[in-house]
Amino acid sequence: MARINQNFLKLPGGYLFPEIGRRVRAFSAENPPMPLIRLGIGDVTQPLAPVVVEAMRKAVEEMGRKETFRGYCEETCCAYDFLRFAIRDSYKALGVEVADDEIFVSDGAKSDCGNIGDIFGLDNVVAVCDPVYPVYVDTNAMAGRAGEYVDGKWTDLIYLPCTADNGFFPELPKGKVADLIYICSPNNPTGAAATKEQLKVWVDYANEHGSVILYDSAYEAFITEPGIPHSIFEVEGARECAIEFRSFSKTAGFTGTRCAYTIIPKDLKRDGASLNALWNRRQGTKFNGVPYVVQRGAEAVFTPEGQRQIKETIAYYLNNAKVIKQGLTDAGLTVYGGVNAPYIWARTPDGKDSWGFFDRLLHEACVVTTPGAGFGPSGEGYIRLTAFGDAQATREAVERIRKIL
């Protein structure tokens, strides 16, 4: 008889965002009094930049001619040179040297953050910020690294509380040493962004203990304040201990187009093995690469015109974030984030639980948010709102919320 992976049966309920969708669909069936405004799931609403669309159009035409048609990508790391070289040069602008064969293009940072565990043993101790993007936790639970789910926590994970008291950035763990450390900056869901000094503490810890930092930098394009690093490789020593994940999804609106990249330095070795080589072997076995048309669109993001156009879109979303943050603050809520990230992290009023406040906003204001409890134990008592909506709808959503508070 075939046997299943029993770790899947340990997972509590469904993944966070499908559960939100289920509740929203149930409410919608009741004929809500106003049209729903969705500020919950972090999906973009603005179209692809014109320069990206034009690059993809030309690539489609190439695919329609025999002399320029392309099949499997046989270039390094399942990615075309033109895109890897463009990514490499973008790091140079930060003062960071990245070799083109340290760049792995994929169909999403979510995929890479979840799949990276394939190259690590199941006996590694995993540390996650709390609250945290659920993929980090759930994929390690599926693999068997998380232990048992008891009273809202996994027994084998190290939870690193990120609260208002510590500026939503984790302190080093006491006692058990973390082998794999997930850090997201700018952070999803809190919107906090780490300084170079804060990251250096973790880089030193990882190098001292032989740990590996899995650094999710999907929102780096939203950094507005000076002194905030856009890459962990701006920190001395990071090449020996860190893997960085980047995405075009929020940077350039590729949520429906799918393209991202992961940086694994060749300096990074554990157990005498190159993690770069292991990931290359994994990707070569399980992945055939992002479509040529999509990679051409991603390449266009790095052109001068592409940078100008996507910065306009990012400014649009950051203005939404400003509107949400100011409006909720004026309504009496305690609000964080929204400056270096497209997320606003708001404390629920009167000690109300996250799902309870989520339901209140849904039923009374017809506004969809995300309950903080879905991101981990320390997320209880908060909700997350995203700035990716339409500007007019965002302003209306804020006004609706203010009216019911």
Side-chain angles (χ1 to χ4, degrees), residues 35 64 185 277:
S185 179

Side-chain angles (χ1 to χ4, degrees), residues 147-213:
E148 305 297 325
Y149 191 71
V150 180
D151 296 330
K153 286 189 174 184
W154 291 94
T155 56
D156 290 350
L157 294 184
I158 296 177
Y159 287 86
L160 306 170
C162 296
T163 66
D165 291 337
N166 61 17
F168 300 103
F169 189 78
E171 300 171 2
L172 296 176
K174 297 178 175 62
K176 188 161 55 171
V177 172
D179 300 313
L180 303 178
I181 304 158
Y182 288 84
I183 296 177
C184 177
S185 179
N187 185 263
N188 176 16
T190 67
T195 65
K196 186 176 291 188
E197 292 73 22
Q198 288 175 316
L199 292 177
K200 186 66 166 65
V201 171
W202 280 98
V203 167
D204 290 345
Y205 174 92
N207 281 324
E208 177 184 354
H209 296 286
S211 312
V212 175
I213 296 173

Side-chain angles (χ1 to χ4, degrees), residues 6-18:
Q6 293 289 323
N7 294 307
F8 276 73
L9 302 182
K10 300 176 183 179
L11 294 167
Y15 184 59
L16 171 62
F17 297 110

Side-chain angles (χ1 to χ4, degrees), residues 89-106:
D89 292 346
S90 74
Y91 273 91
K92 285 183 180 178
L94 298 175
V96 174
E97 291 294 327
V98 171
D100 57 90
D101 58 356
E102 295 176 332
I103 301 165
F104 297 84
V105 175
S106 74

